[in-house]
Amino acid sequence: FHTNRCFRTSAASPDVIAHFAYDKYRNGLPINTLCDLAKSEDGSFQRSTVSTWLIEAYNDYLWPVHYAMLYFQKQRELLLGDETYAYAREFSKLLNTCYFWAFRTSPLDTVGPQIVSYWFDKNRIKLVPEFYLCDYKGKLQTDGYAAYVNLRLKNGKIIKCGCWVHA
């Protein structure tokens, strides 16, 4: 294993991965655009290669950070939850509508830093929040969407709070 590489099977350096991840997630650039920009900078990257790098970087390096964020988020007394649709591509075909589920700590919470976490899923059914919140014990403020009603949690206990905007 080379220390100047992120993955055993790739020559991608941490700098290259960080560059693509920053432009993709911070600047919101599509992977196609990133590959086109790299061509203009004397680089050539396939979209599938860059996608694989970003997925592997998350699985190998960022998953522990995400898991820790979820753990600390679930220690808070109040979480806010919502979901929104998005269109996604799986390789060359457009998927049906998919969903981003967002959970965040309350902006009024002064216990620690604000934590916002996201979950991407092809479904908008209650199995998603049941899985995501399975061990949460606290208050959950949502818009009243049916997926949040009567959640069956393994170890958690949620007190549902309504949203004044949606009342």
Side-chain angles (χ1 to χ4, degrees):
F1 186 73
H2 300 284
T3 57
N4 62 342
R5 293 183 180 178
C6 286
F7 315 112
R8 289 185 187 150
T9 59
S10 169
S13 70
D15 291 346
V16 169
I17 301 295
H19 177 77
F20 279 119
Y22 182 83
D23 280 344
K24 167 84 177 121
Y25 298 108
R26 173 60 178 92
N27 294 332
L29 296 176
I31 292 177
N32 287 347
T33 303
L34 296 174
C35 293
D36 290 344
L37 290 171
K39 283 181 192 171
S40 68
E41 296 173 3
D42 297 329
S44 180
F45 298 97
Q46 296 294 319
R47 184 175 68 113
S48 60
T49 301
V50 174
S51 297
T52 301
W53 286 348
L54 294 175
I55 291 167
E56 288 180 0
Y58 172 79
N59 290 337
D60 292 354
Y61 302 107
L62 297 179
W63 173 245
V65 175
H66 186 197
Y67 185 78
M69 286 175 58
L70 297 178
Y71 173 80
F72 287 112
Q73 187 178 47
K74 291 177 185 178
Q75 304 306 307
R76 304 293 182 83
E77 183 179 344
L78 173 65
L79 290 181
L80 289 73
D82 202 3
E83 75 293 327
T84 189
Y85 69 91
Y87 297 105
R89 290 189 177 277
E90 187 171 309
F91 300 103
S92 63
K93 68 177 184 177
L94 183 66
L95 292 174
N96 291 335
T97 303
C98 299
Y99 298 91
F100 279 105
W101 296 75
F103 297 93
R104 67 164 295 158
T105 54
S106 169
L108 303 175
D109 188 347
T110 59
V111 173
Q114 292 297 303
I115 301 172
V116 180
S117 56
Y118 300 92
W119 188 264
F120 177 79
D121 205 282
K122 295 177 184 178
N123 297 301
R124 191 178 179 225
I125 58 177
K126 76 183 217 170
L127 292 176
V128 176
E130 282 180 349
F131 171 77
Y132 198 82
L133 300 167
C134 67
D135 54 354
Y136 177 61
K137 294 178 177 134
K139 298 174 186 147
L140 176 65
Q141 181 178 353
T142 68
D143 59 7
Y145 172 56
Y148 297 108
V149 178
N150 299 321
L151 293 175
R152 285 182 240 143
L153 307 175
K154 291 180 183 174
N155 300 316
K157 182 175 183 202
I158 291 179
I159 299 169
K160 289 168 217 65
C161 304
C163 173
W164 284 100
V165 173
H166 294 89

